[in-house]
């Protein structure tokens, strides 16, 4: 520890601190622009110049390491003069038209100019004008004249984004911040540069000129879009969400947000929002009132149950719903006598349901995961599944973590990969078995009950095993792809075995904001709330494979959210009644549902999400429900009462939460990835044909982001193509860009084919959750490609 | 351009001979003897460094930092990669000495760098050559080939087990890449802009590894120091200013060119060597150390000797040794405008004071030169300069300010006249 003095205040700081860190630790503010605690030090703005005793010149506080006995003056004549001098330089070429700048009111330059600027400029020469740049649909770089060249944006893309997408070209006064020629900024976490930019150079394209910061109120919330549980500040004006910003939480999202978290709010007020209850009569939709609609629902459910029995009813819920909603929907169903409940619509392998001991989760905290010395990602398209977790893992790799991957594509992770196995999905069980076998070889005297004798250990499997065995701490993580994989339970079983032998933690990076909450709430066919025993029902797959007569859909569009969309839609169409509680009236719902109950998205209701690390995060609605929409918990409460069920007399969300979580919020005792022993089949299915790798595109993951116009304008949201390895294209005799007919069973779609040589041969990467591919079948089932017409 | 040969680097080099740069010619002049003697005697590294220290050699790149001391900062026993880097980026107006070393005596530099590599325990060196000199770059590559073929470079040099290789890197012509850390960035393939220091290159240099950077002339002086001894080098100059120095004399003299003379030689003698003032014109001002050095009035210069201490006592600096001589035909406003334009063009643009200040300075001077000066402009120039100097990442901002301060100080009357009368005090042909 070093003893220093800042403005006469004595303090001790750790060796290696900078003057600005020391000052901030005692609440002494030093003006700065380029400095940012999460970025490397550039020391270029010079705003932070301070006087250090014995130094002849003012020194930049952000870059000056503290030395023992150092005496710093942040406000002396020398310091003030230097700071004012820098401010003058910053302003000479900066437009002095804050009233027409979008950043006005939340501009660091404007704020500091009040304290350090002069009332009139001594600069009488011509001012610089810089032409605007195109950074894509999310970031506006129209006013680059305002840029003060702090390079925060540049450093962000390079250091946090993992890939430099913004640079400073040219020299001196002619320096310009710009994306690479002809390119836009496509990082999945690009929007953070808007927060980082201290001036109005980079602003939010959707938000631009729509409101002034002082007109907005700030409300806390939690992102539903992935399992991370990023903390949000939602800014609202007159009942409308105007903007979403990060709420700093070092344990989760630090000070960042993914673009999905940041820009999906634009989908909240989409034209497709369902504002009033609707009933379909004779194929025609009619708006109606709540009473009528609910009576219709009650009649429908009672009718089906009388005609076909309770087992003819299935409940499909979305893990993007709140804990309370999911708890109530399962409670209602079970009280009514329906046991067919599930939220795992995109899963295909339920063999582990019996073996499962608790609620599946990450297996550690996020911080524990990113501080593991070796990580094995199994079936995870990380950057698109949990963009911020991918960013954190990149930082971990910089600090020495070895990242290992098992996937069907050697995707660009923008970081160093220690070892990667790239194989088609059907070969993964054997591949992970290879890792297990290699671990056995490395750990003397260790044994397993699984029969790995016939498995070949590849070089990469051996390297992964060595990485896991040798690391001080290790983690195995199954991503979304692994969770949707037809051998999910087998992969999990193997992860458990490898974990047992190596001491590695294992778990899932859960898909949705409340995937863990859905399990806790008992929105499962074989487990009730907090794992209570229930009468077993059908899982999501079974409910669709053997169609029910009635479906209750909570917050889901099955054509986008299911493992096999073609099968799901067919089941819906064949049903007598489809009751949908939804915030949107999507085309699919309009086609197959017969009653639509408008419910509130997360911004319009109180509720709770439980993140992948088991963190219980409750939030309040930030605006009133749109139109006649109501929070789903209220709808379910009324429905419970109207169905004559007891126990639905709730007054508040807190009451439901208390009941669901047994009044506690410590759910850790319920979290467990342990599976009781299960056989593993290592044989690799014969692979004569191609297998579909059906992934959920980042901006089609949930109902809200699907409707966010700016996200839908990104390159990422472009219509799916069938990606194959070049060799596959050659075998098929097709050329890149050609139209192909993709066939799965008796369904088919026509779309362009594209080459991606990072893919394993034998795989067709063809996205789901998109209108152009809903006619297709299972995400990881056989697929055929034929020359299109 | 004449090269006067009298001293350390150009001793015995007959620049009229097209082959004077070749290995054979260099060896005939006693070249590579220093290297041989060190390697054969397995001279301890610290002894080599001590010899350089004792010679009083000060860095020829501008700052005059003692070379031996700099070498001693290198963590010699650091186990990983380490580098020696030569700075031949010479881009400062008035400076044109290093290119002549490449042109006429490249092996002196190569030998100096090998010795430096030996002394600091590095196996690899780079020479970063200014992007606007082409023939010299190619010639240096040819000299490297010769040295490699003769076993002076590469694995197991002269069979002694010491290995060192040296590579030339052609820059792109940016002045800022002469600043040592910008040079390193550029060498790494990045945009050439200075790094914040500390850390200094000795601990975090090329690719983050310990690195020593010296000017071409600094390295080229080393073979002499080793072969003929530190004392002889020191005595060639004066105390604390060891050796001879190359001066690039330009401007209104009859014979502009490079002159290698003992440090401590009177300026008047140098002027005489350069053939005296052009057409017998009157000496008005001299920039004694390259465009970044403060200008001095001619009469002050006539009393000075050409060495670090004397010039700095007079309020300027010896810098790179570029002597820009101006006669009474020169409009000092125009001359300063030209210099200010250079720094405005060459600022890398990272630091606010330099990025914004160099343009401001230039525009105000440009206005004055164009008859639109205002009475408050001279104070403004000084004030803007004060807000720049010493407040930036590298010394370019200071370099931009020194001429402004010194021109407006020593030749204030010309600036005032310009502002008041909207024209030159001096009648000359190019205003
Ligand atoms: C803007 C700027 C330009 C420079 N240009 C050169 C140059 O062209 N050649 C050079 O040797 N040193 C140049 N220097 C000095 C170098 O940074 C460094 O001090 C020098 O190469 C060290 O070598 P020496 O110790 O042998 O002088 C420059 C410095 C600055 C600030
Ligand atoms: S655009 Fe903004 S963040 Fe980027 S350098 Fe300019 S001022 Fe800084
Ligand atoms: S002083 Fe000028 S040239 Fe040097 S780093 Fe700063 S902006 Fe670049
Ligand atoms: S904050 Fe220190 S130089 Fe910018």
């Amino acid at each position: 520890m070093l003893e220093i003095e800042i403005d006469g205040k004595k303090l001790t700081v750790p060796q290696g601190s900078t003057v600005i860190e020391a000052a901030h630790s005692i609440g002494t503010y030093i003006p700065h622009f380029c400095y940012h605690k999460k970025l490397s030090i550039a020391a270029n703005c010079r705003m932070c110049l301070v006087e250090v005793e014995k130094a002849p010149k003012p020194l930049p506080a952000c870059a000056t390491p503290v030395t023992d006995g150092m005496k710093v003056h942040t406000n002396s004549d020398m310091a003030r003069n230097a700071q004012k001098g820098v401010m003058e330089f910053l302003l000479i070429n900066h437009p002095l038209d804050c009233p027409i700048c979008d950043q006005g009111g939340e501009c660091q330059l404007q704020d500091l100019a009040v304290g350090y600027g002069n009332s009139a400029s001594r600069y009488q020469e011509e001012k610089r004008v810089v032409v605007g740049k195109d950074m894509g649909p999310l970031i506006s770089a129209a006013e680059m004249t305002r840029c003060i060249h702090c390079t925060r944006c540049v450093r962000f893309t390079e250091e946090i984004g993992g890939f430099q997408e913004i640079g400073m070209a040219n020299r001196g006064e002619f320096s310009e911040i710009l994306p690479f020629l002809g390119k836009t900024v496509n990082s999945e976490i690009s929007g953070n540069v808007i927060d980082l930019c201290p001036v109005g150079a980079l602003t939010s394209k959707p938000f631009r000129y729509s409101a002034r910061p002082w007109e907005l109120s700030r409300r806390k919330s939690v992102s539903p879009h992935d399992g991370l549980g990023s903390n949000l500040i939602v800014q609202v004006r007159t009942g409308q969400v105007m903007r979403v910003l990060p709420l700093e939480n070092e344990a989760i999202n630090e000070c960042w947000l993914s673009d999905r978290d940041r820009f999906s709010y634009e989908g909240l007020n989409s034209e497709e929002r369902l504002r009033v209850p609707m009933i379909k009569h004779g194929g025609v939709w009619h708006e109606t009132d709540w009473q009528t609609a609910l009576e219709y629902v009650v009649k429908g459910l009672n009718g089906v149950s009388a005609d076909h029995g309770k087992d003819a009813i299935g409940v499909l819920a979305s893990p993007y719903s709140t804990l309370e909603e999911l708890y109530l929907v399962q409670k209602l169903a079970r009280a009514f006598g329906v046991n067919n409940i599930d939220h795992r619509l995109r899963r295909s392998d339920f063999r582990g349901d019996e073996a499962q001991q608790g609620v599946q989760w990450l297996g550690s905290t996020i911080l524990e995961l990113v501080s593991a010395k070796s990580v094995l990602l199994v079936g995870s398209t990380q950057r698109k599944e949990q963009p911020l977790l991918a960013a954190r893992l990149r930082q971990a790799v910089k600090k020495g973590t070895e990242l290992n991957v098992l996937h069907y594509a050697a995707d660009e992770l923008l970081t160093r990969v220690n070892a990667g196995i790239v194989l088609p999905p059907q070969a993964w069980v054997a591949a992970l078995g290879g890792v297990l076998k290699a671990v056995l070889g490395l750990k003397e005297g260790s044994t397993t009950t699984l029969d790995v004798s016939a498995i070949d250990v590849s070089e990469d499997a051996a390297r992964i095993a060595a990485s896991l065995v040798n690391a001080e701490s290790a983690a195995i993580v199954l991503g979304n792809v692994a969770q949707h994989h037809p051998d999910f339970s087998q992969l999990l079983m193997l992860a458990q075995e490898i974990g047992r032998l190596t001491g590695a933690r294992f778990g899932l990076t859960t898909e949705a904001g409340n995937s863990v909450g859905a399990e806790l709430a008992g929105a499962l066919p074989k487990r009730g709330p907090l794992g209570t025993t229930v009468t077993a029902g059908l899982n999501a797959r079974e409910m669709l494979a053997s169609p029910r007569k009635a479906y209750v859909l909570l917050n889901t569009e099955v054509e986008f959210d299911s493992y096999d969309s073609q099968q799901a839609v067919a089941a819906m169409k064949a049903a007598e009644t489809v009751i949908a509680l939804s915030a949107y009236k999507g085309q699919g719902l309009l086609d197959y549902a017969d009653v639509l109950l408008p419910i509130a998205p997360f911004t319009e209701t109180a509720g709770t999400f439980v993140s992948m690390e088991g963190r219980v995060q409750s939030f309040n609605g930030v605006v009133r429900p749109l139109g006649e929409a109501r929070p789903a918990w209220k709808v379910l409460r009324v429905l419970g009462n109207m169905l004559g069920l007891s126990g639905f007399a709730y007054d508040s969300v807190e009451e439901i939460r208390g009941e669901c979580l047994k009044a506690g919020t410590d759910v850790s005792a319920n979290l467990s990835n342990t599976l009781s022993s299960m056989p593993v089949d290592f044989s690799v299915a014969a692979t004569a044909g191609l297998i579909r790798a059906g992934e959920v595109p980042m901006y089609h993951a949930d109902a809200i982001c699907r409707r966010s116009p700016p996200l839908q304008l990104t390159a990422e949201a472009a219509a799916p193509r069938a990606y194959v390895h070049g060799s596959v294209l050659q075998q098929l005799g097709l050329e890149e860009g050609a139209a192909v007919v993709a066939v799965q069973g008796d369904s088919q779609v026509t779309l362009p084919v594209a080459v991606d040589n990072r893919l394993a041969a034998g795989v067709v990467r063809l996205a789901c959750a998109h209108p152009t591919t809903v006619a297709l079948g299972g995400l990881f089932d056989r697929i055929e490609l034929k020359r299109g017409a | 351009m004449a090269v006067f040969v009298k001293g350390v680097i150009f001793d015995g080099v007959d620049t009229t001979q097209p082959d004077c740069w070749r290995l054979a010619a260099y060896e005939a002049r006693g070249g590579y003897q220093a290297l041989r003697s060190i390697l054969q005697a397995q001279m301890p590294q610290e002894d080599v460094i001590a010899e350089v220290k004792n010679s009083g050699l000060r860095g020829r790149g501008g700052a005059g930092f003692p070379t031996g001391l700099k070498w001693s900062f290198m963590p010699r026993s650091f186990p990983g990669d380490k580098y020696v880097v030569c700075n031949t980026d010479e881009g400062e107006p008035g400076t044109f000495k290093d290119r002549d070393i490449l042109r006429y005596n490249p092996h002196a530099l190569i030998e100096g760098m090998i010795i430096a590599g030996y002394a600091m325990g590095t196996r690899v060196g780079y020479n970063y050559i200014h992007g606007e000199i082409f023939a010299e770059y190619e010639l240096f590559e040819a000299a490297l080939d010769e040295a490699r073929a003769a076993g002076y470079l590469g694995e197991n040099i002269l069979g002694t087990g010491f290995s060192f290789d040296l590579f030339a890197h052609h820059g792109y012509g940016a002045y800022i890449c002469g600043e040592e850390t910008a040079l390193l960035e550029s060498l790494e393939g990045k945009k050439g802009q200075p790094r914040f220091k500390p850390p200094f290159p000795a601990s975090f240099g090329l690719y983050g590894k310990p690195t020593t950077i010296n000017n071409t002339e600094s390295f080229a002086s080393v073979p002499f120091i080793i072969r003929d001894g530190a004392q002889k080098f020191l005595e060639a100059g004066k105390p604390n200013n060891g050796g001879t120095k190359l001066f690039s004399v330009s401007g209104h003299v009859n014979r502009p060119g490079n002159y290698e003379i003992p440090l401590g030689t009177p300026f008047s003698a140098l002027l005489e060597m350069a053939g005296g003032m052009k057409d017998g014109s009157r000496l008005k001002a001299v920039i004694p150390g390259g465009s970044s050095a403060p200008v001095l009035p001619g009469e002050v210069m006539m009393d000075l000797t050409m060495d670090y201490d004397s010039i700095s006592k007079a309020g300027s600096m010896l810098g790179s040794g570029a002597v820009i001589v101006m006669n009474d035909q020169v409009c000092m406003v125009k001359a300063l405008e030209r210099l200010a334009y250079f720094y405005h063009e060459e600022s890398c643009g990272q630091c606010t004071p330099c990025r914004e200040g160099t343009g401001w300075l230039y525009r105000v001077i440009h206005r004055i030169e164009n008859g639109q000066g205002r009475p408050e402009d001279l104070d403004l120039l000084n004030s803007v300069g004060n807000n720049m100097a010493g407040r930036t990442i590298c010394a370019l901002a200071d370099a931009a300010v020194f001429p402004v301060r010194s021109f407006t100080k020593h030749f204030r009357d010309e600036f005032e006249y310009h502002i008041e009368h909207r024209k030159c005090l001096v009648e000359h042909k190019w205003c």
Side-chain angles (χ1 to χ4, degrees), chain B residues 117-183:
Chain B
Y118 174 85
M120 289 178 275
T122 69
R123 292 175 49 98
V124 180
Y126 293 95
N127 184 18
Y128 188 100
I129 299 172
H130 191 72
E132 288 155 325
I133 56 174
F134 298 95
E136 290 81 353
Y137 166 74
E138 280 166 11
L139 193 141
F140 186 70
E141 290 274 25
L144 285 176
D145 288 343
E146 281 186 326
R148 244 177 239 122
Y152 292 123
L153 278 178
E155 293 296 314
N156 192 17
I157 295 172
L158 303 174
T160 59
F162 171 65
S163 301
F164 181 83
D165 214 341
L166 179 56
F167 304 96
H169 181 95
H170 208 189
Y172 222 81
Y175 168 59
I176 193 58
C177 289
E179 196 282 335
E180 55 189 18
T181 54
L183 184 153

Side-chain angles (χ1 to χ4, degrees), chain A residues 307-434:
Chain A
D307 294 352
H308 309 283
K310 298 275 163 57
D311 196 41
I313 302 173
V315 177
L316 296 168
S318 150
Y320 294 92
S321 297
T322 67
L323 176 85
E324 295 80 354
E325 291 162 356
L326 289 158
Y327 174 77
L328 275 197
V329 82
Q330 66 81 33
K331 179 173 175 176
L332 182 133
R334 290 190 163 116
F336 188 65
V338 173
N339 300 311
N340 308 324
I341 309 153
D342 211 343
H343 73 278
R344 302 165 298 175
L345 275 65
R346 289 189 186 126
R347 285 253 177 110
S348 55
D349 179 11
F350 298 86
R351 284 172 287 171
D353 275 14
E354 267 86 26
Q356 191 176 335
Q357 311 278 299
V359 168
Q360 290 173 340
W361 66 304
L362 183 58
S364 71
T365 64
I366 291 164
L367 285 176
E368 281 164 344
L369 173 66
V370 299
S371 52
K373 291 289 167 237
S374 170
V375 173
L376 169 58
L377 287 180
V378 179
S380 169
T381 306
Q382 263 279 287
R383 286 176 53 202
K384 300 184 181 177
E385 295 178 3
Q386 294 91 14
L388 286 179
L389 192 60
R392 273 197 111 145
L393 280 172
R394 282 198 291 274
Q395 299 303 312
V397 171
K398 281 191 202 166
K399 292 189 203 124
T401 297
E402 290 179 349
L403 188 61
N404 305 286
V405 176
L406 166 58
H407 203 5
Y408 46 67
D411 284 335
E412 183 52 80
L413 294 175
L414 301 176
T415 190
R416 214 178 71 81
V417 173
N418 178 61
I421 301 178
V422 177
L423 285 173
Q426 70 275 19
W428 287 8
V429 173
L432 203 53

Side-chain angles (χ1 to χ4, degrees), chain A residues 405-613:
Chain A
V405 176
L406 166 58
H407 203 5
Y408 46 67
D411 284 335
E412 183 52 80
L413 294 175
L414 301 176
T415 190
R416 214 178 71 81
V417 173
N418 178 61
I421 301 178
V422 177
L423 285 173
Q426 70 275 19
W428 287 8
V429 173
L432 203 53
V435 175
L436 173 63
K437 187 167 177 179
V439 166
L440 286 165
L442 290 168
K443 288 279 217 194
E444 242 172 79
S446 59
T447 55
T448 176
T449 53
L450 302 174
D451 178 14
V452 292
S453 55
I455 298 177
D456 289 331
V457 177
S458 70
E459 208 176 290
D460 285 316
R463 286 183 57 196
I464 294 173
S467 171
L468 293 170
V469 167
N470 297 332
E472 216 172 279
S473 52
I476 305 167
V477 167
L478 276 64
N480 293 0
V481 168
Q483 292 164 52
H484 304 158
H485 190 286
D487 287 324
F488 166 59
S489 65
Q490 309 269 287
L491 296 171
L492 190 60
M493 188 65 208
L494 285 169
Q496 168 168 315
E497 264 310 84
I498 297 169
R500 180 178 67 79
L501 295 172
T502 60
R505 297 164 182 269
F506 71 101
L508 324 179
T509 46
T510 54
E511 183 174 0
N514 200 31
S515 296
V516 171
E519 301 233 332
L520 283 166
L524 292 165
K526 297 194 171 109
R527 294 164 59 85
L530 301 186
T532 44
T533 318
V534 292
T535 314
L538 302 178
N539 63 43
R541 195 85 214 269
E542 292 164 337
M543 277 185 250
L544 297 169
S546 40
R548 305 292 96 190
K549 295 288 179 206
Y551 289 98
V552 176
L553 307 181
L554 173 61
N555 194 16
T556 175
E557 298 168 283
V558 294
E559 67 278 24
F560 297 139
D561 298 341
S562 304
Y563 178 79
D564 185 332
S565 49
Q566 188 260 348
Q567 181 190 57
V569 171
M572 293 302 128
K573 288 193 168 154
E576 285 177 16
T577 179
V578 175
I579 299 154
L581 285 77
S582 172
Y584 296 95
K585 46 179 199 292
Q587 194 50 51
L589 289 173
L590 290 174
D591 285 349
Y592 56 67
D594 53 324
V595 54
L596 290 172
L597 304 177
I599 57 166
F602 78 107
T603 42
E604 298 169 18
T605 178
T608 302
F609 291 148
V610 186
S611 74
M612 62 169 78
E613 60 175 352

Side-chain angles (χ1 to χ4, degrees), chain B residues 38-214:
Chain B
I38 287 182
L39 292 184
Q40 272 151 17
Q42 295 287 311
M43 188 165 168
Q45 291 173 326
E46 48 275 21
D47 290 3
V48 179
I49 294 175
E51 200 65 11
V52 176
K53 266 190 193 164
N54 295 337
S55 74
L57 172 63
R58 293 173 60 168
R60 305 304 198 213
F65 191 83
T67 304
L69 187 61
K70 187 186 271 189
W71 288 15
S72 71
F73 295 155
M74 260 307 249
R76 286 199 296 281
S77 46
F78 177 84
D81 293 334
K82 297 186 280 289
Y83 301 100
V84 286
V85 174
C86 173
N87 188 343
T88 310
D89 193 47
E90 180 166 78
E92 189 179 25
T95 314
F96 47 83
K97 63 188 178 66
D98 295 337
R99 72 196 65 183
D100 272 2
I101 297 177
L102 296 196
R103 186 183 294 161
Y104 297 121
N105 204 9
H107 285 286
L109 170 60
I110 296 171
E111 187 182 2
M113 288 192 74
I114 304 170
I115 294 171
Y118 174 85
M120 289 178 275
T122 69
R123 292 175 49 98
V124 180
Y126 293 95
N127 184 18
Y128 188 100
I129 299 172
H130 191 72
E132 288 155 325
I133 56 174
F134 298 95
E136 290 81 353
Y137 166 74
E138 280 166 11
L139 193 141
F140 186 70
E141 290 274 25
L144 285 176
D145 288 343
E146 281 186 326
R148 244 177 239 122
Y152 292 123
L153 278 178
E155 293 296 314
N156 192 17
I157 295 172
L158 303 174
T160 59
F162 171 65
S163 301
F164 181 83
D165 214 341
L166 179 56
F167 304 96
H169 181 95
H170 208 189
Y172 222 81
Y175 168 59
I176 193 58
C177 289
E179 196 282 335
E180 55 189 18
T181 54
L183 184 153
L184 295 178
E185 289 282 298
S186 173
L187 199 50
E188 287 179 9
K190 302 177 190 152
K191 185 179 178 187
Q193 48 184 35
R195 300 175 181 167
F196 181 81
K197 291 176 275 187
F200 292 94
S203 56
F204 190 92
L206 187 61
Y207 305 113
K209 304 294 180 192
T211 302
T212 294
I213 305 162
N214 276 116

Side-chain angles (χ1 to χ4, degrees), chain A residues 20 31-35 42-49 60-63:
Chain A
I20 208 166
H32 60 271
F33 293 109
C34 68
Y35 168 77
N44 58 26
C45 77
R46 316 309 280 185
M47 191 63 211
C48 67
L49 291 172
C62 68

Side-chain angles (χ1 to χ4, degrees), chain B residues 176 194 347-351 354 392-394 396-397:
Chain B
I176 193 58
S347 160
C348 86
Q350 288 187 83
C351 318
C354 176
T392 52
I393 289 177
C394 86
L396 186 138

Side-chain angles (χ1 to χ4, degrees), chain A residues 566 742-748 775-778 781-784 786:
Chain A
Q566 188 260 348
V743 188
Q744 282 193 292
D746 49 11
S747 54
Q748 63 177 57
L776 285 176
D781 294 351
R782 299 282 304 266
I783 192 165
E784 212 187 319
K786 296 193 290 204

